[in-house]
Amino acid sequence: MSQLEDSDFQKHFQMGKARTFKFRFRYDGASMNDPIYPVLLCGGAGTRLWPLSRQSFPKQFARINSDHSLFQQAAQRFATSDFARPLIITGEDFRFIVTEQLAACELSPQCILLEPEGRNTAPAALAAALVLAETNPGAMMLLTPSDHVIPNDKAFRRAVHAAVPRALAGDFVTFGIVPDKPETGYGYLELAAGANPKADSPQALASFVEKPNADQAAQMLASGNYLWNAGIFLFKAETLIAACQEHAPDVLLPVQSAVSSASSDLGFTRIASDPWSNVPSISIDYAVMEHTSNLAVLPYKAGWSDLGGWDAVWQESGPSDSGNVLSSNATQIGCSNTLLRSESPQVELVGVGLQDIIAIATSDAVLVARKSEAQRVKEAVATLQERGAPQATSFPSERRPWGWFQSLAIGDRFQVKRIHVSSGAALSLQSHHHRAEHWIVVEGTARVTVDQKVQLLSENQSVYIPLGAVHRLENPGKVPLTLIEVQTGSYLREDDIVRYEDLYARC
C-alpha cells in the first residue's frame, strides 16, 4: 500500500483524489534491527463506560485517565526510533477524530485503514498484514487495541523487544498479564507444562480459556499457571497470512479481495465495501490462535488494564485512603470505596454516605450503580437503545471534520445549536428540504454563501438561510468561529442535508 509522506497526506486530504491500489509483493527480509509496525485497533463502541463512552465517540478517544485519550497514549507509546509510524484501523465515523488526535500529538500515521463495517479483530489484523506485505512480507506487526491502559511504556516496549526473536522465527507471540485477582471479565491463557509464569521471555502456551465464573477464576489464580489474555500479539505479516490460508481461508479470500480493491480518499485507505461484506465477523483468537501450533506467550507484570468497566477505572485511578475517586466537579461527604465523576463543569456531583457506588454525570445523562454491578452498564445501554433514547449512542455535542456542534434547545418545529468551526475549515455546500436557518456570529468571522451571494459576517451580525437555498459556512480567519444557529421547519434531523461540494468527501 502506498505510504504517504506528510506533505502527500495533506495534499491528498485537501484534494480528495482517489486511486485504486495495485499490490506488488517484494520480500526484503526481517531482522532484529528492523522497525516494528504498531497496528492500532480503533473500533468498538465501549458501552461499558457509558455515559462517557458512546457509539458516536467511544472510550478510546475519550480522556479517561490523563489529558490525552487512550488512543493518543497508545500512539505515543510507540513514538520511538525502533518503531515505525503506526498503522491505524478504524471506521468511517472516526476517521477525522483519528487524524485530529494524532495531529494534536504531532504524530503522523503510516496508513489509516477504513473498514466499511466492523468485522472483529481477525479481518482487521489480516487487512493490515496484507497492506504491509505489499512491500515487506517479513514486516513485524504489533497488533494492539487502542483503548488499554499500560502505565509503564518503557517496560512494555522492553517486553515487545524480548518477544521479537520468537516472532522472527515465525511464531505468534501473545502477551499475557500476570493476574493479581480472580478476574471474571477477562479471557485467560493456560501455560504449558514447565512454563514459567514469571519469565521475561516467551513461554510455551497450552490453550486459550474463555472468561471464567468466579469459582473457576479463583482456581486458576491459585494454580499460578494462567495469565490474563490482553489481546496483544507480535508476529510477521507473512506469518498471519500463512496461518489464515491454512486455518481461515473463508476470512483470507474476501479480505484479500477487499484490500486489493482499496482506494485512497483524502489520505485514508478505504477498504472496498462489496468484498468486505462477505468477510465473516470473527476474532483473531477464534480464527487463528486456537488452531495454530506456532504460538508462545510472554508474561507481563508491569501493569495493564483494558478499562473494561467503571470498576476498572476506579481501580486504575488510585483511590484515596477511604477508597474514593473524585473528579474536579465532584464532592463526597462520608463516602467510601466510591467513584464520583462529573464530565460537565456545569454539573456538580455530590455523594453523601455512599459506599461501593459508581456515579457518573454528563450534561445529558447520569449513571448510578453498585461497583460490583459495573459490568451490567451495557445492559442499560441496550435498554436505552430499545427505547430510542439518543443518549444511548450520541452526545449533545457532535464532532465533525470542520469542528463540532451542540444542541442547546429542541422543540416541535425548532432547534437551537451552537456551532464551532475551526480555523480554515468549511462546512459542505448544501441545502435542506425541510428547514430554514438563521445564523448569528458570536465569535470570529464567517464567510457565508447563500445561493449566488457571498458575504463576510463579524460578531453580532446575522444571516437568514431560506428553505431550499444552497449555502455554505466557512471560517477564513485564524481564530475559531462560533455562531448560534436557529433552525425552523417540519423536520430537523441531520439526514436532511443535500451536499453538492465537500472538502471532506462526504458528498
Side-chain angles (χ1 to χ4, degrees), residues 41-62 64 70 94 146-148 306-310 313 360 367 374-382 385 391-395:
L41 302 174
C42 293
T47 56
R48 288 181 292 178
L49 291 187
W50 185 89
L52 176 60
S53 173
R54 307 185 194 183
Q55 183 176 320
S56 65
F57 197 76
K59 72 172 184 176
Q60 61 264 29
F61 302 119
I64 296 176
L70 297 175
F94 308 136
S146 61
D147 58 356
H148 291 182
D306 73 342
L307 289 189
W310 284 113
V313 174
I360 313 297
L367 167 71
Q375 295 299 314
R376 300 188 64 187
V377 171
K378 58 185 177 181
E379 297 177 32
V381 175
Q385 288 177 316
Q391 291 91 337
T393 57
S394 302
F395 287 96

Side-chain angles (χ1 to χ4, degrees), residues 4-6 9 84-86 88 102-103 105-111:
L4 302 175
E5 298 297 331
D6 292 347
F9 182 88
R85 290 183 297 166
I88 315 296
L102 287 175
C105 298
E106 299 183 344
L107 298 175
S108 59
Q110 188 82 214
C111 177

Side-chain angles (χ1 to χ4, degrees), residues 16-76:
K17 292 185 176 179
R19 62 189 179 87
T20 300
F21 290 97
K22 303 296 182 182
F23 286 83
R24 298 175 303 278
F25 285 85
R26 175 170 59 85
Y27 179 60
D28 293 331
S31 72
M32 289 289 291
N33 296 322
D34 288 342
I36 299 167
Y37 290 83
V39 177
L40 305 183
L41 302 174
C42 293
T47 56
R48 288 181 292 178
L49 291 187
W50 185 89
L52 176 60
S53 173
R54 307 185 194 183
Q55 183 176 320
S56 65
F57 197 76
K59 72 172 184 176
Q60 61 264 29
F61 302 119
R63 292 194 293 264
I64 296 176
N65 65 331
S66 81
D67 291 335
H68 290 100
S69 71
L70 297 175
F71 167 69
Q72 288 173 315
Q73 292 174 53
Q76 291 172 317

Side-chain angles (χ1 to χ4, degrees), residues 207-210 283-293 295:
S207 67
F208 287 75
V209 181
E210 294 289 343
S283 72
I284 194 170
D285 289 2
Y286 284 131
V288 173
M289 301 305 171
E290 293 187 0
H291 306 288
T292 188
S293 58
L295 188 63

Side-chain angles (χ1 to χ4, degrees), residues 201-274:
S201 59
Q203 302 294 299
L205 180 61
S207 67
F208 287 75
V209 181
E210 294 289 343
K211 295 178 181 179
N213 59 37
D215 290 339
Q216 292 170 330
Q219 292 173 6
M220 288 190 288
L221 178 66
S223 74
N225 200 44
Y226 292 84
L227 306 171
W228 290 337
N229 183 2
I232 303 173
F233 299 90
L234 184 72
F235 50 83
K236 292 189 294 185
E238 62 184 357
T239 302
L240 179 60
I241 295 171
C244 287
Q245 188 170 16
E246 180 179 359
H247 304 294
D250 59 327
V251 177
L252 176 63
L253 295 177
V255 172
Q256 280 182 321
S257 179
V259 172
S260 64
S261 300
S263 60
S264 177
D265 177 11
L266 300 180
F268 304 100
T269 300
R270 190 180 293 278
I271 297 172
S273 58
D274 285 347

Side-chain angles (χ1 to χ4, degrees), residues 32 66 75 99 160 183 203 227 258 276 301 313 336 361 416 460 495:
M32 289 289 291
S66 81
T99 55
V160 171
E183 176 62 56
Q203 302 294 299
L227 306 171
W276 191 259
K301 48 187 177 292
V313 174
S336 62
V416 181
N460 297 319
D495 54 358

Side-chain angles (χ1 to χ4, degrees), residues 310 313-314 317 319 322-344 347-362 366-369 371:
W310 284 113
V313 174
W314 172 83
S317 299
S322 57
N324 293 315
V325 173
L326 307 176
S327 72
S328 58
N329 299 307
T331 301
Q332 68 86 19
I333 298 174
C335 297
S336 62
N337 298 322
T338 291
L339 171 62
L340 302 177
R341 181 167 178 151
S342 172
E343 297 298 322
S344 173
V347 178
E348 284 291 332
L349 179 61
V350 179
V352 179
L354 302 178
Q355 183 175 2
D356 298 320
I357 292 294
I358 291 166
I360 313 297
T362 64
V366 176
L367 167 71
V368 181
K371 192 143 52 69

